Amino acid sequence: MNGSPGKSRWKTWTLRGAGALLALVLLALLAAWLFLRASLAQLDGERRVAGLAGDVTVERDAGGVPLISGASRLDVAYATGFVHGQERFFQMDLLRRTAAGELAELFGPAALPTDRTHRLHRFRARALDTLARLPAPERALLERYAQGVNEGLDALGARPFEYALTGVAPRPWTAPDSLLVVWAMYIDLQGAQQARELARGWLRTHSDAAQLAFLLPEASAYDVTLDVTLDATRGASPGQGAARVASPLPPRAPAWWGKAPQASGAPVRLAGLEVTDSVGSNNYALAGSRSSTGAAIVADDMHLGLRLPNIWYRLALRFPDPGAPGGQRRLAGVSLPGAPPSVIVGSNGQVAWAFTNSYADSLDLVELRVDPARPNQVGLPGGWETPRAHVETIAVKGAATERMVVRETSLGPIREVAGRSYALHWIAHDPAALNMNHLKLERVASVEDALTAAAINGIPAQNFVAGDVQGNIGWTIAGLLPRRAAEGQAAAAGGLAAGVGAGFPLAAGSTAQTWSEALPYADYPRIVNPADGQITTANSRQLLGAGSSLLGDGGYDLGQRNRQLHEGLQAMGGQVDVRRAFDAALDDRAILVGQWRQRALAALDAHALAGQPQRAEFRRLLETSWSGRASVESVGYRLARDFMWAVHDLLYGGVNAALKEIDPKASAAAASARWPAVAARLLDERPQGWLPAGHASWRDLELAAVDRAIAALLDAGTPLAEATWGQRNTADIAHPISMAVPALRRWLAAPGQPLAGDAHMPRVAGPKFGQSERLTVSPGREEEGLYNMPGGQSGHPLSPFFLLDHAAWVEGKPAPLLPGAVKHTLRFVP
């Protein structure tokens, strides 16, 4: 029996409608794909450009790595800008907007808290002032780079896809924007010192001087410095460092010590999951006496937050230079898209150089006095003054423009925290904090020349390590430093308790003085050709002798990572080649966590295991699933690490809650990364006056930490036997636009692969933090240089270069530093 005509027509129209809808969906997908294709970078062809001195070529290899060659430095800057603008413009835009406090214009009200925090510094106004002071040739280089960026952006067949998603048109690049990118690095590398000072200030207020000295040691037995080597068993050598390692243990703990880490009955979550171990970066150099060729070897792996595209852009630059061998200068290394166009870390053929964050003390919070009788004034150590008011307007997508008033004193802008007012006295605000002197490294011919050029470099203060073709190596600080009180003056003023140069806020009415000028470059400490033929830095204390007071302490790391790197290189002996030197950065031996594993095993004796099957399983896995490394398959590593952090929570958990109310980034670990050394000493000496309430003994506390580590895993739904380190340490590296449009994450993220490595070892690796590049090179032998990075050259998801290098980075497999055989050639002609 046939159906009715009406039903047949309904079915026909339904099918037609579905077909039409499918066609529309396919057309929309095709249109999106064509739009994305249109915004891909131009790799081949020829373009005419007004004002060039001669032809410029951009020769890319199969990985998209360019060699940019031109007849003048200005021409090469133009082509560098063109390449950056086409492949990394959105990344550059985020960096300049981060520094200027202009993210809300892209992302709406959600970005306002960040914009308000950063607008306090008025970096856009400072960039305009700095640009006006630059010599004309340097301004010309920035303007030529900006021209290249804008012409590269305009040459795309469609605007970068990120702007289609945000609904905001890209703003042209300007010369001051390149200076803002450098200030974005100041924020990234030094901004955390504010939270650190606030945390230390709270601890000072709620602890006596002896307790504070014990809880916040200036150094520890883990440290290996460039001038004094500390050893866990022999103390310090020479003796001047010993007192800093082992302050006397006070008879009792402060009142806040050992308070409950969380409310009763709440799911257990270890601070080790919440506190980002975001301290990394290693650089090191081997002298010619230690290398297989007689030339120095320089290696660098800068650790930063990881996202797509990777922050660095690998390239080589070539241009005429009478001072270079053969009259042609070739630079090879990494650039920072948006920053003044040069190689940040790499080699110029005669000298290679590398950076790590120095953690020198670059910032003071100076509490201001207020007096109702002086309603428009604030009291600084030097007297009363009327702050200058600056009106900042913040554009907000989808909302009204916000008006913000920044009040600025002679020491810096005013920040309000927990009912108190502080002048934010930061070296980044100094007119000399930023310059173009990094360009001088392009032409240095020796380590001595490089150290001199580095000291006057206008960047956030970095450990600068260099080596030259003659085999010399050296270290200094690159970047502006405040001139702080000498060590003896600090001691006379009360030292640690007074907060002089020790990373504490200066209290209102204190007689102590903050720094008033920059340290003269001639006074910068330096190390040249040490007797053991090697230099290592890894964010920990660099000096313990006289030079240490010049740097202060802006948050040094524990020291184990640098010790491990230092000793690993020593063990290599002589005749080291570039590949062996590269592998030193991949050391994931779990030396620190191994010590905590031994403590957990000692606590888990037969009595502790009786009637406790979970503890028995914990011990079994510590013994059987332990490789001695932070390897992805190891359960024992994760359990030992969790035990360490569970001890931290039982000691510091209560104070962390109090510190979060002051600043979201404030914590006991921020106050001092040396807390593992403090906790280990307590577990070794077991002083009754420091045993937290609620525990019958220190052994009872250790078992409570084991139970807490177990509970944290079970509350998260992870059985102990499945709690591998890789399951916890899984890459979470994505394009920032995927946070705004999660549906696109599938196409805008790297694979979620387990990562070997962790904090406190050279191979620092976390889900969103790790080695942003690995580079090892001998100057003059760049063809032997090695490199890899997390992600590819391009920020475009349809580019063949988007994730090309990522898998090799996960596995630690290097590629050649220099670009390979030419696959694409783009030519610019006058």
Side-chain angles (χ1 to χ4, degrees), residues 109-271:
L112 271 174
T114 300
D115 279 357
R116 294 187 192 113
T117 298
H118 294 171
R119 192 64 70 98
L120 192 68
H121 307 293
R122 302 183 61 248
F123 281 138
R124 184 165 288 283
R126 297 181 194 278
L128 293 171
D129 291 343
T130 299
L131 183 70
R133 291 194 301 270
L134 290 179
E138 295 178 359
R139 288 200 307 272
L141 190 76
L142 290 180
E143 289 161 359
R144 198 66 167 146
Y145 174 75
Q147 178 191 348
V149 171
N150 292 325
E151 293 186 6
L153 184 65
D154 292 344
L156 295 174
R159 60 185 174 176
F161 75 94
E162 296 95 339
Y163 297 97
L165 295 171
T166 61
V168 177
R171 182 199 302 163
W173 197 260
T174 65
D177 291 336
S178 290
L179 304 179
L180 284 170
V181 169
V182 182
W183 266 306
M185 298 308 293
Y186 266 101
I187 291 171
D188 193 16
L189 298 173
Q190 297 181 353
Q193 290 186 28
Q194 293 183 61
R196 178 176 183 270
E197 288 219 351
L198 291 169
R200 291 166 72 86
W202 190 98
L203 293 175
R204 180 179 60 187
T205 300
H206 295 85
S207 312
D208 65 34
Q211 293 164 344
L212 198 67
F214 169 70
L215 290 167
L216 304 178
E218 294 184 55
S220 80
Y222 292 101
D223 283 305
V224 173
T225 63
L226 294 169
D227 59 344
V228 177
T229 299
L230 302 183
D231 184 88
T233 57
R234 290 186 291 107
S237 173
Q240 59 188 2
R244 295 183 174 182
V245 178
S247 296
L249 181 59
R252 62 183 179 275
W256 55 263
W257 180 253
K259 299 296 183 183
Q262 63 196 62
S264 177
V268 175
R269 183 174 175 83
L270 301 179

Side-chain angles (χ1 to χ4, degrees), residues 710-723:
I710 293 170
L713 288 169
L714 297 182
D715 286 354
T718 305
L720 265 62
E722 298 176 15

Side-chain angles (χ1 to χ4, degrees), residues 20-32:
L21 181 61
L22 178 61
L24 287 173
V25 170
L26 292 174
L27 285 173
L29 291 174
L30 178 62

Side-chain angles (χ1 to χ4, degrees), residues 377-541:
Q377 291 190 306
V378 293
L380 283 78
W384 292 87
E385 65 178 60
T386 302
R388 301 181 302 278
H390 303 277
V391 177
E392 295 284 318
T393 56
I394 304 176
V396 185
K397 187 181 75 171
T401 296
E402 180 168 302
R403 181 178 182 271
M404 176 180 174
V405 177
V406 176
R407 294 193 304 149
E408 197 165 30
T409 72
S410 58
L411 293 182
I414 297 175
R415 180 184 173 188
E416 308 288 343
V417 183
R420 298 185 180 187
S421 297
Y422 296 92
L424 181 53
H425 194 33
W426 187 14
I427 199 69
H429 299 151
D430 191 285
L434 198 153
N435 57 41
M436 298 274 286
N437 286 336
H438 187 82
L439 294 169
K440 297 183 184 299
L441 291 173
E442 295 184 352
R443 291 180 164 86
V444 294
S446 68
V447 160
E448 282 291 338
D449 292 344
L451 297 180
T452 300
I456 61 173
N457 198 350
I459 57 174
Q462 300 288 292
N463 288 308
F464 177 85
V465 168
D468 61 28
V469 292
Q470 288 81 27
N472 302 299
I473 58 174
W475 165 89
T476 191
I477 295 294
L480 202 63
L481 291 169
R483 184 173 197 165
R484 296 201 171 274
E487 194 168 1
Q489 294 173 291
L496 189 68
V500 179
F504 292 90
L506 271 69
S510 169
T511 58
Q513 294 288 321
T514 183
W515 54 275
S516 60
E517 61 183 359
L519 182 70
Y521 298 127
D523 292 346
Y524 277 39
R526 59 166 58 185
I527 303 289
V528 178
N529 290 332
D532 61 357
Q534 68 178 53
I535 292 173
T536 66
T537 82
N539 307 127
S540 52
R541 181 174 285 280

Side-chain angles (χ1 to χ4, degrees), residues 4-5 10 35 94 110 168 279 342 361 411 473 528 648 750:
S4 67
W10 179 86
F35 176 83
L94 290 185
V168 177
V279 177
S342 186
D361 189 3
L411 293 182
I473 58 174
V528 178
H648 167 277

Side-chain angles (χ1 to χ4, degrees), residues 199 202-203 207 211-217 253-254 256-262 271 275 596 644-660 666-683 690 692 695 698 701 708:
W202 190 98
L203 293 175
S207 312
Q211 293 164 344
L212 198 67
F214 169 70
L215 290 167
L216 304 178
W256 55 263
W257 180 253
K259 299 296 183 183
Q262 63 196 62
V275 176
W596 286 86
M644 180 181 77
W645 276 101
V647 170
H648 167 277
D649 289 357
L650 295 176
L651 301 180
Y652 297 97
V655 72
N656 281 337
L659 295 176
K660 295 297 181 190
S667 68
S672 175
R674 291 179 278 277
W675 72 263
V678 173
R681 183 176 171 191
L682 291 173
L683 293 182
W690 284 78
H695 301 283
W698 281 99
L701 180 136
R708 180 174 176 80

